[in-house]
Amino acid sequence: MPPPRLGAWAREPTLPRPQAQKSFGTSASPPGSWLSGWGSIMPGNTGVAVNPLTAMQAAAVYGCVKRLSEDIGKLPLRLKRRLRRGGFSLDLDHPLNRLFRRPNEWQTPSQCWSYFVWALALRGNAYAPVLRGPAGEPVQIIPVNPDQVSPLRATDGLPWWQVSHPCIGDGRRFDQGNLLHAHGMSFDGYTGVSPIMLAQDVVGLSLATQQHGATLFRQGAQVSGVLETAGKLSAEAAQRMGASWMAAYGGVQNSHKVVVLEEGTKFSKIAMTNDEAQFLATRQFSVVEICRMFGVPPHKVFDLSNAHYANIENSEQQYINDTLIPVAQQIEEVMEAVLLFEDEQGQFEIEFNFDKLLRGDRKTRMETYVAGVNNGIMSRNQARIEEGWEPVDGGDELRVPLNTGAPEAAPVPAPKPESAQTETQEP
């Protein structure tokens, strides 16, 4: 029995070529990878430590990352076969469609791709090694934490990755034919950079105002300044006076109390008020800035200050076109390059089905079905299947409106009888 035909990436289903055939440079990590780690803390102007983990404490960052990952995760992933006369048809019997329904032993498709996009949005890189069966067929897709991946670059310029994971092993190397890698903006074309690290002042400002608000209510929202006395106080006396002041007037529960000062003690306010610091305006603008980083409309993270009925639908469509589709397209292209054999390239297409996000309200869907069925674009059963209803007998026929058909030819007048023609002729 001849061996199965395998594609270029499937010739090494589990292990890359031996290390003796590949030499790696001394600089294992491509430039820019230092911007992607959890522990990387760039110096910022706000004085707040910013990394992908602390950034998630900002509500706008959490909302944008959650929205992106969940919106991609809830899209059905499917494999379609290209038809010779044009168009595509679902190939439900292909092994990849079964893999998409169960990518690995512990994750559902939604969990798998949500985690993949979550890492991409926060870290700028998402990795998922592909485990293969005896014939080179993909059997598992395992998304891993970017901290468990060390990017490598061979002397011929091709990327490799060293991955450690309980289901894979420690320090196992994968080439680009056995690992799904999606990345965001990149300085070198190999490894993406974390948007949190690039825009750390934007996130840091949001965290700083958030911490300021928490401290403001903890210390007291109305009284903040310096206590002055005419005499000189010892360290113990100054500490005791400060403690008694905080006990009497500190905290939210002691706000708006009347202050009583004795023996020439004066209180001088030195801090800006919230109005002077434009506290609320700064927090509001931070939401827009963070949404701008991720390309997410503010209304998707429940900032409805500028959302109106007239523009919400356009904003939703713009979010799909400019934010979700580019992310989905990159993942689709990477999967087609890695998961399809060489002889399958061009015959199949992997796609996320965006129909669920474009369904609209029930009235709009019904009007679309009526227009499609009456004009012969789709059959009644296709419309019923879109709604999850059972097909009916005779519902697969396409309707063609009579007024759009070819007009019938005009009747040809019958020839005159020969007798009549003879009578009209002159002798």
Side-chain angles (χ1 to χ4, degrees):
M1 179 177 180
R5 291 186 300 165
L6 304 180
W9 302 130
R11 292 173 185 150
E12 304 169 39
T14 55
L15 290 174
R17 285 165 283 185
Q19 186 175 357
Q21 300 181 14
K22 276 286 182 182
S23 59
F24 297 90
T26 55
S27 178
S29 297
S33 61
W34 59 279
L35 288 170
S36 61
W38 289 114
S40 301
I41 300 177
M42 296 181 61
N45 297 317
T46 59
V48 179
V50 177
N51 58 36
L53 183 59
T54 60
M56 290 289 285
Q57 299 175 9
V61 175
Y62 179 89
C64 288
V65 175
K66 184 174 185 289
R67 187 75 279 127
L68 286 171
S69 60
E70 288 185 350
D71 282 347
I72 294 294
K74 68 185 179 183
L75 299 177
L77 189 62
R78 59 189 184 181
L79 179 77
K80 300 191 302 182
R81 181 186 295 272
R82 188 184 302 272
L83 302 177
R84 291 186 177 182
R85 60 181 183 178
F88 295 88
S89 65
L90 289 179
D91 191 343
L92 301 179
D93 297 328
H94 196 282
L96 282 184
N97 275 322
R98 294 194 294 269
L99 177 64
F100 294 154
R101 291 192 294 269
R102 192 67 176 177
N104 52 57
E105 296 179 351
W106 72 93
Q107 286 181 315
T108 64
S110 176
Q111 294 170 341
C112 175
W113 299 114
S114 292
Y115 180 78
F116 192 82
V117 177
W118 176 85
L120 177 62
L122 269 183
R123 307 294 297 279
N125 292 277
Y127 303 98
V130 177
L131 303 185
R132 300 185 182 270
E137 74 281 6
V139 294
Q140 286 195 70
I141 300 174
I142 302 179
V144 297
N145 191 315
D147 285 335
Q148 298 173 306
V149 181
S150 297
L152 305 173
R153 188 185 303 168
T155 54
D156 58 3
L158 294 179
W160 288 62
W161 297 272
Q162 186 166 291
V163 183
S164 297
H165 190 272
C167 295
I168 297 174
D170 293 333
R172 183 169 164 185
R173 287 180 176 175
F174 291 85
D175 63 0
Q176 58 183 342
N178 293 287
L179 183 139
L180 303 177
H181 175 216
H183 63 77
M185 297 180 64
S186 175
F187 289 149
D188 60 355
Y190 289 87
T191 306
V193 295
S194 170
I196 302 299
M197 296 289 94
L198 289 179
Q200 58 92 30
D201 271 348
V202 175
V203 180
L205 181 60
S206 177
L207 292 174
T209 54
Q210 183 173 294
Q211 293 176 8
H212 170 71
T215 305
L216 183 72
F217 283 98
R218 185 176 71 248
Q219 300 293 347
Q222 297 298 323
V223 213
S224 179
V226 176
L227 290 172
E228 301 180 65
T229 60
K232 184 178 180 180
L233 297 177
S234 63
E236 293 79 6
Q239 186 177 3
R240 185 171 59 254
M241 177 179 288
S244 61
W245 178 273
M246 288 301 300
Y249 304 108
V252 181
Q253 66 276 10
N254 294 322
S255 300
H256 305 284
K257 279 188 175 182
V258 177
V259 181
V260 180
L261 303 177
E262 297 179 314
E263 299 180 357
T265 304
K266 297 180 180 180
F267 175 78
S268 300
K269 188 182 72 168
I270 61 172
M272 292 187 297
T273 63
N274 289 332
D275 293 336
E276 293 169 345
Q278 294 185 332
F279 174 69
L280 295 179
T282 302
R283 294 208 67 185
Q284 178 70 29
F285 186 69
S286 295
V287 174
V288 179
E289 286 281 88
I290 291 173
C291 288
R292 186 179 291 120
M293 282 171 45
F294 292 99
V296 175
H299 76 270
K300 300 298 289 186
V301 294
F302 302 100
D303 179 5
L304 304 179
S305 55
N306 292 319
H308 309 285
Y309 181 79
N311 65 4
I312 196 73
E313 184 176 356
N314 292 334
S315 297
E316 191 75 15
Q317 185 63 52
Q318 184 179 5
Y319 165 66
I320 295 174
N321 292 342
D322 298 338
T323 304
L324 293 184
I325 289 183
V327 175
Q329 182 177 356
Q330 182 182 177
I331 300 175
E332 292 166 356
E333 293 173 350
V334 170
M335 285 193 292
E336 289 176 4
V338 175
L339 300 180
L340 293 177
F341 291 160
E342 187 175 6
D343 55 357
E344 294 177 328
Q345 300 285 340
Q347 298 185 19
F348 293 90
E349 183 176 287
I350 299 174
E351 71 166 10
F352 287 100
N353 185 9
F354 277 83
D355 290 347
K356 285 192 173 182
L357 297 184
L358 302 173
R359 287 171 63 86
D361 59 276
R362 187 178 180 86
K363 180 176 181 293
T364 303
R365 296 201 310 272
M366 292 299 125
E367 292 174 350
T368 303
Y369 295 148
V370 169
V373 170
N374 288 341
N375 289 280
I377 300 174
M378 63 189 311
S379 66
R380 288 179 295 160
N381 278 345
Q382 287 176 314
R384 294 180 63 86
I385 291 173
E386 286 289 336
E387 289 295 311
W389 300 340
E390 184 179 359
V392 297
D393 295 337
D396 294 326
E397 298 179 0
L398 294 177
R399 291 181 176 179
V400 179
L402 294 178
N403 59 346
T404 62
E408 296 181 0
V412 179
K416 294 182 179 180
E418 295 181 359
S419 58
Q421 295 179 4
T422 305
E423 293 176 357
T424 59
Q425 294 178 352
E426 295 180 0

